[in-house]
Amino acid sequence: MTRSTGEPPAPEADGADAAPVARYPRPTVTLDEAEWVWRELSVEALRPGGKPEVVRLAVIAGLTRATGARYGDLLRVRAEDLDLGPEPDAAARRGRVGGTRDPAEGRVLLRHGKHRTLREHRLPAEVVLLLRHWIVVREELAAELEGSVPRALLLTVHHTHDHGTTVSSGLPITRQGLVLSWRRFVHRTNARYGAVRAPLPTRFEQVRRAWVDAGVPDLGRDMAPASDAPASDASSEK
């Protein structure tokens, strides 16, 4: 008689009925859950007095949902890579992206993966609205810096400490900064809705893959390689 170990039996390696191996080690959330995250962030970001960190998170979620971009891809986006179309009462902030589109639609250039594959993606109107708001916020964040506003789209939103040195807000954020920012949102949200909904995952990748697997993002079209180097990641929020 074999004593039980309390663990489920391992799947058999052979046979037609063997379970497929998951591509990602942590399960993705459902599409409904990912859409809930997007709605929660986008609404909170546009409320009067919304925190810059929430606005930035909403931009990250919106760009990811629209393009399927990973953190590394988003960190390489620069302000001039955006074409947000004509604004209601000001000249358009146009980047290098040309062509025609729907009146409320925008476009973004993304450098995907380690090979920096340049691709143009469409941006829906709701993401364009958030990006316009973030452009104003990021200029305010960098107002105290000497010189011009950094080219990177995603900037730090509070003063941070890097190896014992105080780093000003308004500088390009790093991957670690994005990781910590998402975790802060998750902890706040789980504490707020803990009694009425399942907790959010601590890795944003589990949300991103829900959109990608459902075919939500625009696949984009390949573009000629950019001639200038991508923006550097200079600081981390801690």
Side-chain angles (χ1 to χ4, degrees):
M1 181 175 181
T2 305
R3 186 177 60 180
S4 172
T5 62
E7 297 180 355
E12 295 182 6
D14 300 325
D17 297 332
V21 178
R23 294 180 59 192
Y24 189 68
R26 298 196 181 197
T28 62
V29 302
T30 64
L31 180 59
D32 287 343
E33 186 79 352
E35 292 292 276
W36 184 90
V37 169
W38 161 237
R39 291 192 300 270
E40 181 77 6
L41 282 170
S42 59
V43 169
E44 190 175 345
L46 294 176
R47 284 180 179 147
K51 295 182 179 180
E53 183 174 29
V54 175
V55 180
R56 189 184 61 199
L57 273 173
V59 165
I60 291 167
L63 286 174
T64 301
R65 181 176 179 268
T67 68
R70 300 175 184 270
Y71 275 166
D73 306 331
L74 296 177
L75 289 172
R76 290 188 285 268
V77 177
R78 304 165 303 193
E80 63 262 34
D81 293 327
L82 298 174
D83 176 4
L84 303 183
E87 297 183 26
D89 51 9
R93 291 188 180 95
R94 298 188 63 85
R96 300 181 306 151
V97 187
T100 60
R101 65 201 178 303
D102 294 336
E105 189 180 78
R107 295 185 181 177
V108 62
L109 287 175
L110 280 176
R111 297 158 186 82
H112 288 274
K114 63 181 181 180
H115 297 297
R116 310 292 199 266
T117 302
L118 191 65
R119 195 168 297 149
E120 177 191 274
H121 298 267
R122 294 190 304 272
L123 296 175
E126 59 269 23
V127 178
V128 171
L129 180 64
L130 277 171
L131 281 165
R132 285 199 182 115
H133 183 37
W134 170 247
I135 291 296
V136 175
V137 171
R138 70 187 289 278
E139 289 176 353
E140 294 173 353
L141 290 171
E144 297 182 3
L145 297 177
E146 295 183 5
S148 59
V149 178
R151 298 173 69 190
L153 177 66
L154 301 177
L155 306 181
T156 56
V157 297
H158 8 65
H159 295 300
T160 63
H161 297 281
D162 187 7
H163 300 289
T165 303
T166 300
V167 180
S168 176
S169 62
L171 295 174
I173 194 173
T174 62
R175 182 189 299 269
Q176 180 66 7
L178 296 184
V179 168
L180 295 177
S181 183
W182 169 254
R183 287 179 182 173
R184 284 193 291 268
F185 168 73
V186 166
H187 293 325
R188 291 194 307 268
T189 305
N190 288 347
R192 180 180 179 185
Y193 295 102
V196 296
R197 58 176 293 109
L200 293 176
T202 56
R203 293 192 179 187
F204 183 68
E205 173 67 10
Q206 294 167 262
V207 177
R208 186 194 76 86
R209 288 200 62 83
W211 287 317
V212 171
D213 291 347
V216 174
D218 170 51
L219 297 179
R221 64 187 183 97
D222 290 339
M223 304 288 289
S227 58
D228 43 354
S232 60
D233 306 328
S235 66
S236 173
E237 293 193 0
K238 300 180 180 178

